[in-house]
Amino acid sequence: MAPSMEESLGRAAALDAEDRSAEASAERALAAKQALELPLDTSQTEKLMGGLAVLLHAKSMLESGASLEGLDNQLEAALHMARQGSRSRDLECQLLHTLSCVLLSQASPSSIDRAIEARQESAVLAVEAVVAELGWKAAGVKKAAKMAAEKEHSQLLNLAELFDALKYRLGASVADPAAEAMKSLFDAWASPSAGGPPVISEQDFLTRLASALAKVSAEDKAPDSNCKAPCEGGSGLSKLESEILALVAKEGASNWEEKLCSLQAVGLKGEDGLELTPDALHQTWLRIAPQIKKATEADEEMACGHSCSTCPTRHECQVHDALKDIEDL
């Protein structure tokens, strides 16, 4: 019986401890392969574990100097999988950063563009992960920012001075446990000073923090914010129609035989007594496509709580390409 993904990762860690790096690398590669073969109905926890498995494999490949061919596609797939699980901004951040390293090694114009984009997304998620860990209320921080703005002179503060100001403004019982998080946010937001350490005003820091807290809170409270698939379906679609749309988003509007196998593998059947066939799936797509095209062009909010412009899977989604030849009905 083949070992599970978790068992492969455990064995890799044990082999690393024994300095058996080649064998450990093989175990991580096996775990990554298992992760990328997980079925659509895998639990959210397993999807996060799958994303971690691919991340560990990719980091191992980068460190070893081995061939990176196809690793960018594996990381994109792992990123998509991780975003279907319970939200882990830290995992997404690391996947994006590692993806950017792989793409930069390819040195093609298209890969460099995506590498820069991934690195920027990673930086944003790194900040949001710290903010989410704080768990503070945006309203309270916004009130503190307003009070800081009422000061007659807004001074630029270094890290030590900012922390003293925050302890005065928020209370030591609030600020002291968050010292490490405050340093991370200071490093992200402060600006260089002439010949001195980075600086930021108390008002600017608190305003940025309040905005980030509000964004994180809104994302975490959004309905079904952890999308089950790219472009999960918009409003008014049946379960079968949503799954077809998810497959089109992932694979494009072709290979209907393979899509049929995927749907049958998760137990989906035809609706209204109709038999599921490749042609039936294609006709269903042609029927719902004008509705989807209208929603995407209007940038409407989908069932997952995102619009096309805010969707975390927008970079790999193939819906727009599939809709190019669809005329509105």
Side-chain angles (χ1 to χ4, degrees), residues 90-113:
D90 184 56
L91 176 58
E92 291 176 35
C93 169
Q94 292 190 59
L95 284 167
L96 283 162
H97 186 273
T98 306
L99 173 63
S100 72
C101 294
V102 172
L103 289 169
L104 285 173
S105 72
Q106 297 176 0
S108 69
S110 60
S111 66
I112 289 175
D113 287 345

Side-chain angles (χ1 to χ4, degrees), residues 149-325:
E150 292 172 354
K151 293 167 62 175
E152 187 173 347
H153 299 290
S154 179
Q155 292 182 296
L156 293 176
L157 310 175
N158 61 33
L159 178 59
E161 293 166 339
L162 175 67
F163 193 65
D164 287 340
L166 293 176
K167 284 202 286 188
Y168 172 79
R169 185 76 60 193
L170 304 173
S173 62
V174 174
D176 281 341
E180 188 175 342
M182 293 298 101
K183 182 182 183 307
S184 296
L185 296 177
F186 177 86
D187 290 342
W189 294 336
S191 301
S193 61
V199 291
I200 191 172
S201 71
E202 180 188 8
Q203 178 193 354
D204 187 14
F205 184 89
L206 288 170
T207 299
R208 286 172 179 256
L209 179 55
S211 177
L213 284 165
K215 181 176 184 290
V216 165
S217 177
E219 287 180 354
D220 289 348
K221 290 179 181 178
D224 296 325
S225 59
N226 298 312
C227 299
K228 294 178 183 177
C231 202
E232 191 178 3
S235 59
L237 295 185
S238 68
K239 174 66 175 176
L240 175 61
E241 291 167 344
S242 293
E243 292 294 341
I244 291 173
L245 177 57
L247 288 172
V248 170
K250 182 180 179 182
E251 305 167 358
S254 60
N255 298 323
W256 294 102
E257 292 82 1
E258 292 182 14
K259 289 179 174 55
L260 175 61
C261 293
S262 297
L263 295 176
Q264 289 174 333
V266 296
L268 276 179
K269 299 179 180 179
E271 297 172 342
D272 300 324
L274 296 176
E275 180 185 359
L276 269 190
T277 65
D279 184 62
L281 295 182
H282 187 200
Q283 292 304 315
T284 300
W285 163 247
L286 293 177
R287 176 171 54 78
I288 66 173
Q291 173 187 346
I292 304 304
K293 184 175 183 181
K294 180 180 178 182
T296 57
E297 290 179 344
D299 204 30
E300 293 177 2
E301 185 176 285
M302 300 291 179
C304 57
H306 296 115
S307 64
C308 284
S309 61
T310 63
C311 179
T313 65
R314 61 189 178 278
H315 303 294
E316 64 260 33
C317 180
Q318 298 187 46
V319 165
H320 288 275
D321 288 339
L323 292 173
K324 284 180 179 177
D325 297 325

